[in-house]
Amino acid sequence: MKPISDIIKQKPWVGWGLFLATVVLVFLIGLFASSIIERRSESVYTLQMVKPINDWEPRNEIWGENFPREYETYKNTLDTNYASKHGGAVMIDYLEKYPELVVMWAGYAFSKEYNQGRGHAHAINDIRKILRTGGTQESPQPATCWTCKSTDVPRLMNEMGATNFYKKKWKDLGAEVVNPIGCQDCHDPKTMNLRITRPALIEAFQRRGKDINSFTRQEMRSLVCAQCHVEYYFKGKEEKYLTFPWDKGFSADEMEVYYDNMDFTDWTHKLSRAPMLKAQHPDYELFMTGIHAKRGVACADCHMPYKSEGGVKFTDHHIQSPLANVANTCQVCHRQETQTLMQDVYERQDRIEELRRIAEKTIAAAHIEAKTAWDTGATEDEMKPILKLIRHAQWRWDWVAAANGMGFHAPVEALRVLGTSIQKGEEARRMLAVVFIKHNVKYPIQMPDISTKKKAQEYIGLEIDKLRKDKDELLKTVVVKWDEEAKERQGTLIDYKAK
Amino acid sequence: MKPISDIIKQKPWVGWGLFLATVVLVFLIGLFASSIIERRSESVYTLQMVKPINDWEPRNEIWGENFPREYETYKNTLDTNYASKHGGAVMIDYLEKYPELVVMWAGYAFSKEYNQGRGHAHAINDIRKILRTGGTQESPQPATCWTCKSTDVPRLMNEMGATNFYKKKWKDLGAEVVNPIGCQDCHDPKTMNLRITRPALIEAFQRRGKDINSFTRQEMRSLVCAQCHVEYYFKGKEEKYLTFPWDKGFSADEMEVYYDNMDFTDWTHKLSRAPMLKAQHPDYELFMTGIHAKRGVACADCHMPYKSEGGVKFTDHHIQSPLANVANTCQVCHRQETQTLMQDVYERQDRIEELRRIAEKTIAAAHIEAKTAWDTGATEDEMKPILKLIRHAQWRWDWVAAANGMGFHAPVEALRVLGTSIQKGEEARRMLAVVFIKHNVKYPIQMPDISTKKKAQEYIGLEIDKLRKDKDELLKTVVVKWDEEAKERQGTLIDYKAK
């Protein structure tokens, strides 16, 4: 074979061919290298904002212009498609499913309407529509109820101060609070760092001698949620100052002591006249007693797992049940099949639901019996210890029942607390039986039919049709004006609705 | 440099030196290879028995001659050194610690004496000493009680048949049953394969349509334990045929239905006259409802972990709490620190104990109140539903309480079952209150002082001193003769005692 130099000497076009081929190849390698560099720079998450976000900017869509992936996944919270085994339909009507609840909340707004929670982007629409916030005639709630519903809240608190915010009425701020729970609630608009915007959490930790700035990033991935997913109460008759009852500890027992020591009651029960407590989804507290918290798992690990798109890894802002996304949540740590893991969750939830239902039936019966006891001449002295038992039984039940996840955040603690609830509820019924017989009342007493929500609401004297009509009136007139006013103020207004 | 052949030609001793060095090196390599082969053959567990073991050989020491490692670790079951946080001392006197139990078992042998279980090698000594098996005067138990205590049982059942074995009295077989739980109970003497020797387990699975031979080796590593660590009862007034109540399922609820359907009672309660059930350590059943069983873990994985000595890997026959050996049990799967893992177990157990104690106080009170109700003129009709509630409440409590491990084998199920126990116990007390008032009995009734074991035993009318004296007499006279007779029969007799 001839050397290549000889060939080129004989046929010069071969040399040019080789030269050109080399040029093309080098060019292609250059293109490829550029693509690699681009991808890498994309995956190294540097904060490059299209336009800076103002302090206290409430509009999620403005943040979304800078962070399209996070915003797009956030908007998926409109689709609460994950239908749990324990219900099926989206937004379960709990009062329909468990009519005892109507009786347990007699005299309190929860007896009017109580549904399964939906995704964050529904927050404004849902709080406007729920009967608990009232209509044009009667609107009993303070502005404190807005606290956890909107990115407008930090803005307003910054403008008027938290104390003045809480003092207002819910209806007073309807035109101001229009953007649903979103970016601003958890993020610093300059650095995107996680940030606590609600004073109640900061104050609760302060009272426990803990500075909110001392928490790690991983702790913050739970604490931003704990701004709202906790037990709280409205302190002061007029002030309605949002406060977490954590001074003695996070457990149901410790909070019970806290409330008892200050003689706090959320309302006086309409039937039993018991000084009641209403638990408000103590998700964080229950979670902290469970094994996932002990192992350093944060809320976001299961409810906002990491996601990849192209070369970019980001946090999925479609906050939802981890069971809707087992591959990216449970299976990051647990090497079992999806069906196995889901079954494990359901088995725990089924057991918790069994004890929860026992407690509900016991406590509802106790309220009804207490009413009959009063009606048939029971004395204050006779009733006082009974009402205290009912208060504690229902508080403990509610501490588990009101929390999301049907107790899965800490099944062992949930069952323990429910066990003590059952004991107290049954003890109250035993003491009631004694009262009846002493007053020559036939025992067991005649129990009302509370087998459906309708029947139970009629029994406790709720005029639902009237409330519903007044609510519709509010939505058609007042709320429309709120939106118009808001649109004028902030330029745009997105009406978040499920597709 | 000169070639080596030239050097050797000039200096022949260099050639000889090289030759000798090669010989020595090859010899050393040979030695090393032999050592490797030896080690490997040691670690490949071929069944090489020093002397063959006869069928139904009950003496553990004879098996031990062939399997010294297993036998040595087995003998460590004499040292029950692992003192749980929930007691401290070895062999807790449960009646002293929880005097309510005396009342709950009034009229049943368990009210006489009930201690924390000790290691397998103590089995013969402990069953002889416990007051439940009686003395020279009164010895109420059938031979069925021996079934789980000794390697002599398969031998005797083989000789006389299980039916005839169960029909005997406990005292009849004292000289025959002398070797504590050991090798023969779980192993085939020819192949050392795991083998079921107790007919009750085989029969229970047969009734469920399952052949015992169809189980995998891993399942057998639990099933040999399930020969004894289960719920069982003595079927037939005379036959006392050992039977597992598994026909409807393994859960407390399903076994309760099984017993109710056949109107079975272990005894009639001395105070309440309730038709009682006694649960017998349903460890296997409770375990099967928990996460470890679901993940394919066997009893032996945690209670008999693998161990290495030299090149030999074998199963540690020192059966004990996994917490005494976290490094080889929990930490095989769980990557947390020992203290963390122990704390996790204790936290579950503490919560279970809390509900268990509530149930105990409720049920003991119900028995006492039921007695007063009978004494003050309650009718059969009034008492019947109450006694059924007490029966079910105590059965469910016992299903958890009697199982080893303070519910850790399945904490969620344990708490669920305890929750239902509390409800039923409290409901019984409510109905009792009604009975009292109807019969003009002052309510609450005067409760006896049962704050210590002594006081509780006096209350239920037990003459413990007399029983203890009679037991001592049995040990000094009869039992000594049993041992002499046994020694004569089998040549040797080891008296297993803790060092």
Side-chain angles (χ1 to χ4, degrees), chain A residues 146-271:
Chain A
W146 284 119
T147 312
C148 276
K149 301 297 177 188
S150 169
T151 47
D152 286 299
V153 175
R155 177 180 68 81
L156 289 167
M157 286 187 172
N158 185 53
E159 286 169 18
M160 61 173 79
T163 311
N164 291 327
F165 177 90
Y166 297 140
K167 269 187 195 158
K168 297 239 175 229
K169 287 274 146 203
W170 180 77
K171 256 163 80 176
D172 295 342
L173 296 180
E176 292 285 348
V177 188
V178 292
N179 297 285
I181 305 166
C183 321
Q184 149 72 40
D185 290 316
C186 307
H187 290 286
D188 182 306
K190 299 282 167 279
T191 62
M192 286 303 132
N193 283 340
L194 292 178
R195 176 173 81 165
I196 304 298
T197 52
R198 301 305 195 273
L201 183 78
I202 299 168
E203 292 156 5
F205 275 115
Q206 267 170 355
R207 288 197 304 278
R208 294 176 62 83
K210 199 127 173 94
D211 179 4
I212 201 79
N213 297 312
S214 68
F215 288 103
T216 64
R217 184 170 172 280
Q218 179 68 353
E219 285 170 320
M220 286 297 281
R221 280 161 52 84
S222 287
L223 288 172
V224 288
C225 311
Q227 300 185 89
C228 291
H229 288 266
V230 290
E231 162 62 10
Y232 57 80
Y233 68 106
F234 299 169
K235 196 173 190 170
K237 268 214 164 124
E238 300 303 319
E239 297 85 352
K240 300 287 181 193
Y241 200 93
L242 190 72
T243 311
F244 298 175
W246 289 357
D247 296 14
K248 296 194 176 296
F250 294 110
S251 73
D253 316 49
E254 288 162 326
M255 292 190 207
E256 186 182 276
V257 172
Y258 173 93
Y259 283 134
D260 283 358
N261 284 356
M262 65 187 285
D263 270 329
F264 181 81
T265 58
D266 276 298
W267 89 105
T268 301
H269 200 275
K270 192 179 171 184
L271 305 173

Side-chain angles (χ1 to χ4, degrees), chain B residues 424-465:
Chain B
K424 286 170 197 295
E426 285 288 338
E427 193 179 341
R429 292 195 67 194
R430 165 156 50 97
M431 294 176 74
L432 280 160
V434 175
V435 171
F436 285 131
I437 313 262
K438 280 192 178 161
H439 287 267
N440 289 314
V441 179
K442 191 171 172 290
Y443 184 83
I445 63 161
Q446 179 86 34
M447 293 301 258
D449 180 0
I450 55 158
S451 59
T452 66
K453 170 179 158 182
K454 195 167 184 298
K455 285 175 184 170
Q457 287 181 329
E458 273 166 16
Y459 169 67
I460 67 163
L462 267 186
E463 294 177 275
I464 286 293
D465 292 344

Side-chain angles (χ1 to χ4, degrees), chain A residues 347-365:
Chain A
E347 281 183 12
R348 280 159 183 72
Q349 290 179 328
D350 284 344
R351 290 182 167 111
I352 292 161
E353 193 180 12
E354 185 182 334
L355 289 201
R356 216 202 66 205
R357 289 298 289 149
I358 291 175
E360 281 158 16
K361 283 169 186 171
T362 296
I363 297 166

Side-chain angles (χ1 to χ4, degrees), chain B residues 348-420:
Chain B
R348 281 161 183 71
Q349 291 179 328
D350 284 344
R351 290 183 167 111
I352 292 161
E353 194 179 11
E354 184 181 336
L355 289 202
R356 216 201 66 205
R357 290 297 290 150
I358 291 174
E360 282 159 15
K361 284 169 186 171
T362 297
I363 298 167
H367 282 299
I368 293 168
E369 289 171 344
K371 178 186 161 34
T372 306
W374 285 118
D375 292 349
T376 52
T379 66
E380 292 275 349
D381 278 354
E382 284 172 327
M383 294 301 284
K384 209 177 166 189
I386 294 169
L387 301 187
K388 194 169 186 185
L389 283 166
I390 294 178
R391 167 187 167 96
H392 289 170
Q394 184 155 331
W395 157 253
R396 284 160 184 246
W397 159 82
D398 211 2
W399 196 81
V400 177
N404 291 291
M406 186 78 88
F408 184 73
H409 285 126
V412 172
E413 175 68 353
L415 286 161
R416 180 193 73 84
V417 172
L418 285 173
T420 65

Side-chain angles (χ1 to χ4, degrees), chain A residues 316-333:
Chain A
D316 188 346
H317 279 58
H318 183 190
I319 298 160
Q320 61 179 342
S321 165
L323 294 193
N325 188 9
V326 172
N328 294 303
T329 57
C330 318
Q331 286 175 342
V332 171
C333 297

